[in-house]
Amino acid sequence: MINKKILGLVGLSARARKVCFGADSVEQQIKKRKVKLVLVAEDSSERTKDKFKKLSDQYNIPIIIAGEIETLSKAIGKCNKAILGIEDINLSNQIQKINNGGEVIG
């Protein structure tokens, strides 16, 4: 289960056009060093999870594996998106803070 506040911040990122989604797009943006945080759905394939764990380690990007494909996709207003890349450093920091048990401002 993913925190509703995290989904809210993901939606905010999408409205600010600071989200890339889909395996190919996220991978390209990681290699361009634009992605600050990777979100992977729990129900995505093991191969996908392993691939993005390795990429995240290689490029030193935090990764969160949480939520279902449906909920992550709904947060950005798309369908069947298992991988999201957050490109805004402040939003990525807030998402990580909430994921680690901290509270969001406000």
Side-chain angles (χ1 to χ4, degrees):
M1 187 67 194
I2 192 166
N3 190 323
K4 287 183 180 179
K5 290 181 181 176
I6 292 175
L7 291 175
L9 288 171
V10 169
L12 186 66
S13 305
R15 287 189 295 279
R17 299 197 185 274
K18 293 290 183 178
V19 171
C20 53
F21 45 83
D24 296 338
S25 175
V26 173
E27 186 176 350
Q28 282 179 353
Q29 297 299 73
I30 286 173
K31 290 179 179 176
K32 290 180 184 176
R33 301 198 181 274
K34 292 195 175 188
V35 173
K36 308 300 181 210
L37 173 68
V38 178
L39 291 169
V40 181
E42 289 172 346
D43 55 350
S44 59
S45 71
E46 290 302 317
R47 185 171 168 227
T48 301
K49 290 179 200 172
D50 291 341
K51 176 182 178 180
F52 282 94
K53 281 180 194 172
K54 288 176 186 170
L55 265 175
S56 295
D57 288 343
Q58 183 180 346
Y59 288 90
N60 199 24
I61 298 169
I63 184 170
I64 297 173
I65 299 176
E68 292 81 37
I69 292 173
E70 190 179 327
T71 52
L72 287 178
S73 300
K74 197 174 178 184
I76 61 166
K78 303 286 179 194
C79 294
N80 292 329
K81 303 300 176 194
I83 295 106
L84 303 177
I86 307 294
E87 297 174 354
D88 185 88
I89 189 70
N90 296 321
L91 288 167
S92 94
N93 288 340
Q94 285 298 323
I95 291 169
Q96 289 176 72
K97 190 175 176 183
I98 295 167
N99 191 57
N100 295 330
E103 271 303 308
V104 70
I105 300 168

